[in-house]
Amino acid sequence: IFHRHTERVKMANIAQTVNVLQAMLLTDGGKMAKTPSYHVFAMYLPFQDATFLPVEAKAPLLQSGKDSFPAFNISAARAKDGKVHVAIANMDPQNVQQIRLALGGLKAKTASGQILTHAKMDAHNVPGAPEAISPAPFKGAKISGGALTLNIPAKSVVVVRLD
């Protein structure tokens, strides 16, 4: 959401980073764990100092009580190195979202990236234990016929680079 409003939002950050609600890192004595928030921030690094690229994809609506909201959020940017990155957050806890984006004049041939997800909705990392959740290679992207098709698993964050 911040990225789509770069004309107003010039900087966004996390206020506190260690051992707080929505922490980036958790510690217990000399032990440390990277949280899912840490991993998402790392995955979004290409968006820092990047140029916003408008992208449109119609998301189905999810219901929460009387309220509804889009099942996914999507953003794109041209990074400082000239590469185009697309980020998608699928808020649907049960369903894959298939998204098709026209590439316009972009001459990309491949898309590669990372995904952060887990079978359990509340998966988290614990200081001193092996990581339960961390980014993995994303295999659900395909470029064909001038379009990028993405199969975004339920409850996941995906960032892909177009080459």
Side-chain angles (χ1 to χ4, degrees), residues 49-74:
D49 296 322
T51 301
F52 171 74
L53 298 174
V55 61
E56 291 186 30
K58 184 150 175 74
L61 294 178
L62 299 177
Q63 288 295 133
S64 178
K66 295 179 183 178
D67 297 320
S68 63
F69 57 95
F72 63 83
N73 186 317
I74 188 166

Side-chain angles (χ1 to χ4, degrees), residues 3 5 20 23 25 35 50 55 60-62 64 85 87 98 103 105 115-116 121 131 139 143 150 163:
H3 194 246
H5 297 285
V20 293
L25 301 169
T35 67
V55 61
L61 294 178
L62 299 177
S64 178
H85 295 262
Q98 186 173 65
L103 294 178
I115 181 170
L116 186 68
M121 183 82 130
E131 281 195 317
K139 306 291 185 195
I143 295 178
L150 300 156
D163 290 308

Side-chain angles (χ1 to χ4, degrees), residues 45-135:
L45 280 174
F47 288 81
Q48 291 182 4
D49 296 322
T51 301
F52 171 74
L53 298 174
V55 61
E56 291 186 30
K58 184 150 175 74
L61 294 178
L62 299 177
Q63 288 295 133
S64 178
K66 295 179 183 178
D67 297 320
S68 63
F69 57 95
F72 63 83
N73 186 317
I74 188 166
S75 184
R78 185 174 305 279
K80 290 185 286 188
D81 66 1
K83 302 289 184 185
V84 172
H85 295 262
V86 179
I88 308 95
N90 182 359
M91 278 71 74
D92 191 320
Q94 299 171 342
N95 298 304
V96 171
Q97 299 296 322
Q98 186 173 65
I99 303 166
R100 183 173 166 84
L101 302 172
L103 294 178
L106 190 62
K107 302 292 184 211
K109 292 185 169 88
T110 63
S112 60
Q114 292 184 305
I115 181 170
L116 186 68
T117 190
H118 195 281
K120 292 173 54 179
M121 183 82 130
D122 61 351
H124 60 281
N125 296 325
V126 177
E131 281 195 317
I133 181 169
S134 63

